[in-house]
Amino acid sequence: MAEAGGLLRGPEVWAYVLDGHERLRIALAELTEGKERGTSRLPGWTRAHVLSHIEGICRALTRQARYAVKGELIEVYDGGRPARDAGIEAGAVRSAAELTAAVTAALAEAEAVWGSVGDADWDRPVRYRDGDLLGALHCWWRELEVHTADAKLETCSAAWPRELCLHLFDFLAPRVPAGLTLVESDGPVRHTFGAAAAVGPHGSGGAAGSFGDDSAGRAPVVRGRLTDLASWLAGRQPHQRLDGRLPELGPWP
């Protein structure tokens, strides 16, 4: 299980990623011609933009893994953010069939490369955030799940696994004002951001946040389903209403 402030092991994350790949493939089956021009959950982006981005970030992070296992480093995108943005725009003009084929091919490439990563490889350095291979895989997990939901196809954030939601609580903690407590309305999770470490149902807390009760009882509290709380943290509209005053979020870390 995930702990606040911690990361899942590589094989655990990879199992969740493979599930996400399969759900995305199923979702792509409903991308009939013309549907790619429909709106996504991201302002100013069509479904084609989202799928173009999914393909691009999949290939970019896959090459992080390909080079890392050889002991080499490479930039996430050749040309940096401008090249990334240009690639999304160029890819978004493709048809539904072309986008489906491109994304499917990118997923197959990812499975071939990431599937060959061994237990001793996860701490190999990568250029992504000057981190390691495990961090890069966590990034692909986030990008895959969040943007699959953004595409407004078969899957949505309501299908996110619990472990992804808990990971998003940790990763997105810098967006949240200290002292806010998120409470799962249909489960045991209570997560206070910026609080001292406390032991809760999912492990020990960390500097960014903790699972456990706010003993003072004075922190602002927002309640909702775990997937809806995670959706809000990720800057997406929850599927069901959250109870409590929602503070303004900071930028994506």
Side-chain angles (χ1 to χ4, degrees), residues 1 7-17:
M1 296 292 287
L7 294 175
L8 291 171
R9 295 173 54 251
E12 294 171 317
V13 180
W14 182 235
Y16 283 115
V17 168

Side-chain angles (χ1 to χ4, degrees), residues 150-200:
D150 287 337
K152 293 172 62 176
L153 291 167
E154 180 70 21
T155 60
C156 63
S157 58
W160 288 349
R162 289 184 63 83
E163 292 294 347
L164 175 70
C165 295
L166 299 180
H167 170 60
L168 288 173
F169 275 33
D170 286 326
F171 179 76
L172 297 174
R175 304 192 74 191
V176 184
L180 177 70
T181 297
L182 301 183
V183 178
E184 183 183 13
S185 57
D186 54 350
V189 172
R190 185 181 181 94
H191 188 107
T192 301
F193 293 89
V199 176

Side-chain angles (χ1 to χ4, degrees), residues 11 67 94 114 147 164 181 183 206 232 234:
Y67 278 79
R94 291 174 291 184
W114 286 103
H147 290 310
L164 175 70
T181 297
V183 178
W232 170 70

Side-chain angles (χ1 to χ4, degrees), residues 83-179:
R84 166 217 182 252
D85 294 345
I88 291 170
E89 292 296 333
V93 304
R94 291 174 291 184
S95 68
E98 290 169 331
L99 285 163
T100 296
V103 173
T104 300
L107 296 181
E109 179 187 5
E111 289 168 6
V113 174
W114 286 103
S116 67
V117 174
D119 290 342
D121 294 322
W122 293 110
D123 61 352
R124 288 181 179 271
V126 296
R127 287 288 187 215
Y128 168 72
R129 294 178 179 259
D130 292 323
D132 58 22
L133 201 51
L134 180 58
L137 182 60
H138 274 82
C139 176
W140 171 229
W141 188 26
R142 294 189 299 269
E143 295 284 333
L144 167 68
E145 295 285 10
V146 171
H147 290 310
T148 296
D150 287 337
K152 293 172 62 176
L153 291 167
E154 180 70 21
T155 60
C156 63
S157 58
W160 288 349
R162 289 184 63 83
E163 292 294 347
L164 175 70
C165 295
L166 299 180
H167 170 60
L168 288 173
F169 275 33
D170 286 326
F171 179 76
L172 297 174
R175 304 192 74 191
V176 184

Side-chain angles (χ1 to χ4, degrees), residues 21-74:
H21 283 190
E22 186 58 27
R23 282 186 281 109
L24 178 53
R25 287 187 176 102
I26 292 171
L28 287 170
E30 69 169 278
L31 190 70
T32 54
E33 292 301 328
K35 201 168 185 177
E36 76 278 10
R37 303 298 160 216
T39 59
S40 73
R41 289 192 171 91
L42 292 178
W45 273 19
T46 65
R47 287 193 183 94
H49 285 91
V50 173
L51 294 173
S52 180
H53 177 46
I54 289 175
E55 179 206 0
I57 190 64
C58 180
R59 293 190 186 279
L61 291 168
T62 294
R63 82 170 187 166
Q64 292 290 289
R66 181 184 294 110
Y67 278 79
V69 296
K70 297 187 294 184
E72 300 177 28
L73 298 174
I74 192 169

